[in-house]
Amino acid sequence: MATLKDVAQKANVSKMTVSRVINQPELVTEELKTLVYQAMKELNYRPNTAAKALARNRTMIIKVLILEKMDITEPYYMNLLNGIAQELDKYNYALQLMTENSVDLGNCDGYIITGTRKSDFEWIPQLDKPVVLFGENDRQIPFVDSDNEAGIATATQYAIDRGYEHVQFIGIDVPELFEKSREKGYLSVMAQYPEKEQIIHRIKNSSSVSEQLIREEIKLEPNTCFICASDRIAIGVERGLQAENYDIPQDYGIIGFDGVFLDQIASPKLTTMKQDIVGMGQTCVKQLMRLIDKKKLKNKNELFFAKLIERGTTK
């Protein structure tokens, strides 16, 4: 069985450096971490997690809570969990997936929580361990999220630049900050074009509901682009327009928001604002580890810019 000394010799570094990479990776350069991780992999070296936990008076467990009532096999969450797991592995931490009902079962060193709603802020501050939220909030709790306002603003401006005369926003009918930020992004751009009507629809985050909206509930005007708060909504819009035999993207354009899977199975494929879900999951861990080590965060709120991916639903 390989030892710490073997890893140090293989990587041509000191045992202290190997120990620091394992126990305090944030203090080590990326170059050194790469050398040590490669040596550990080649030697099949596994740190003694139990001994490490005992020495540092830690559990070496991070609890991840998904509070939305949604199947965790949803690609969005699988990308998030992938990013979290990748980063936790660098710190030799285990991931424990929890629900709101089991949050108090067993000890841990910290929490990453996503899918929060207003009611959740009644109990989250009572947790006795560091917390990082995946999703913006105004409760002074550290969070990581996409820049929702900037993302939708980018999509709205792109639709106007592509020559769409009318631009409508289809949001998610929830009283949450991320949705307000996305609507703000749409309105901020539309305000620069007073000749264009500002139209916002708020619906359930459902493709069947958005399809019904298009087919039965709104008057369709040619040369309209629909800016959607999710790819799920955008797919329903696409289906609704196709059912009425409209030309996409000439008659109507569609821009989604997420870019983790659904955008690629649509036909034509969706133009969308792609979020770096994996990267945000990794940053959640980095932020949480600083809090666990009782260090101040350089930025309490980490915002990622979504990237516009141009595909077949815009001209």
Side-chain angles (χ1 to χ4, degrees):
M1 183 179 295
T3 65
L4 195 74
K5 181 179 179 181
D6 296 328
V7 175
Q9 291 177 342
K10 182 76 174 178
N12 195 28
V13 297
S14 68
K15 287 172 41 177
M16 181 179 294
T17 296
V18 175
S19 178
R20 187 167 294 164
V21 168
I22 294 173
N23 295 299
Q24 295 177 297
E26 71 280 3
L27 300 181
V28 184
T29 66
E30 290 298 324
E31 183 180 3
L32 279 176
K33 283 190 283 189
T34 298
L35 284 172
V36 172
Y37 289 146
Q38 184 60 34
M40 290 169 61
K41 183 177 180 181
E42 292 179 9
L43 294 172
N44 196 30
Y45 176 79
R46 294 290 184 272
N48 188 329
T49 304
K52 178 181 175 182
L54 184 63
R56 303 179 71 187
N57 193 29
R58 294 184 181 177
T59 66
M60 306 306 294
I61 294 172
I62 296 300
K63 290 186 179 183
V64 178
L65 281 73
I66 298 178
L67 299 178
E68 284 189 287
K69 308 303 180 185
M70 186 178 291
D71 187 347
I72 63 168
T73 59
E74 165 77 27
Y76 184 94
Y77 284 116
M78 293 307 294
N79 277 269
L80 176 64
L81 292 173
N82 182 27
I84 292 173
Q86 284 182 26
E87 196 65 24
L88 283 177
D89 190 52
K90 297 177 183 179
Y91 296 86
N92 298 299
Y93 262 80
L95 180 159
Q96 190 173 37
L97 192 59
M98 309 293 288
T99 66
E100 184 176 354
N101 294 330
S102 57
V103 64
D104 292 327
L105 300 179
N107 202 357
C108 70
D109 294 332
Y111 300 88
I112 296 172
I113 305 176
T114 182
T116 54
R117 295 295 182 256
K118 285 186 177 181
S119 59
D120 297 315
F121 292 107
E122 297 177 6
W123 59 267
I124 288 176
Q126 300 173 18
L127 297 174
D128 61 351
K129 301 293 183 180
V131 175
V132 171
L133 300 186
F134 178 66
E136 61 180 303
N137 72 92
D138 55 3
R139 305 300 181 95
Q140 303 304 309
I141 301 175
F143 72 80
V144 178
D145 201 352
S146 286
D147 190 328
N148 292 292
E149 181 179 345
I152 292 298
T154 297
T156 304
Q157 187 62 59
Y158 174 78
I160 293 173
D161 292 344
R162 299 305 293 173
Y164 287 103
E165 184 178 354
H166 311 284
V167 182
Q168 300 186 24
F169 179 71
I170 305 180
I172 302 172
D173 189 17
V174 290
E176 307 302 335
L177 198 57
F178 78 90
E179 176 61 25
K180 293 179 181 178
S181 294
R182 293 181 187 183
E183 290 187 15
K184 186 177 179 181
Y186 166 76
L187 292 172
S188 67
V189 173
M190 294 298 287
Q192 301 173 38
Y193 302 88
E195 73 280 6
K196 296 183 182 296
E197 186 179 6
Q198 301 173 6
I199 299 178
I200 294 178
H201 310 278
R202 299 181 182 91
I203 63 173
K204 181 181 178 182
N205 189 21
S206 161
S207 59
S208 60
V209 172
S210 59
E211 180 179 358
Q212 181 181 0
L213 176 75
I214 293 298
R215 299 188 66 180
E216 302 176 9
E217 299 179 22
I218 64 174
K219 180 181 178 181
L220 297 175
E221 297 184 82
N223 204 22
T224 294
C225 186
F226 293 99
I227 311 298
C228 302
S230 73
D231 286 344
R232 187 175 297 278
I233 288 175
I235 281 183
V237 171
E238 184 178 54
R239 288 203 305 252
L241 292 170
Q242 289 172 332
E244 301 299 326
N245 295 315
Y246 290 115
D247 185 298
I248 302 171
Q250 294 304 318
D251 291 340
Y252 295 92
I254 311 164
I255 303 178
F257 197 104
D258 282 335
V260 294
F261 177 66
L262 297 178
D263 57 308
Q264 299 176 53
I265 64 173
S267 182
K269 293 182 179 179
L270 288 172
T271 295
T272 191
M273 298 302 301
K274 181 177 179 61
Q275 301 189 76
D276 184 4
I277 307 297
V278 173
M280 288 190 284
Q282 293 171 332
T283 298
C284 283
V285 173
K286 292 175 182 177
Q287 294 287 81
L288 186 60
M289 289 302 164
R290 288 191 64 85
L291 293 176
I292 290 172
D293 288 336
K294 302 187 184 305
K295 297 177 181 178
K296 289 185 177 181
L297 299 179
K298 296 178 181 178
N299 297 302
K300 198 170 184 179
N301 305 330
E302 290 281 353
L303 293 175
F304 280 61
F305 288 98
K307 180 181 179 181
L308 177 68
I309 305 297
E310 303 175 52
R311 293 203 181 98
T313 58
T314 49
K315 58 188 177 182

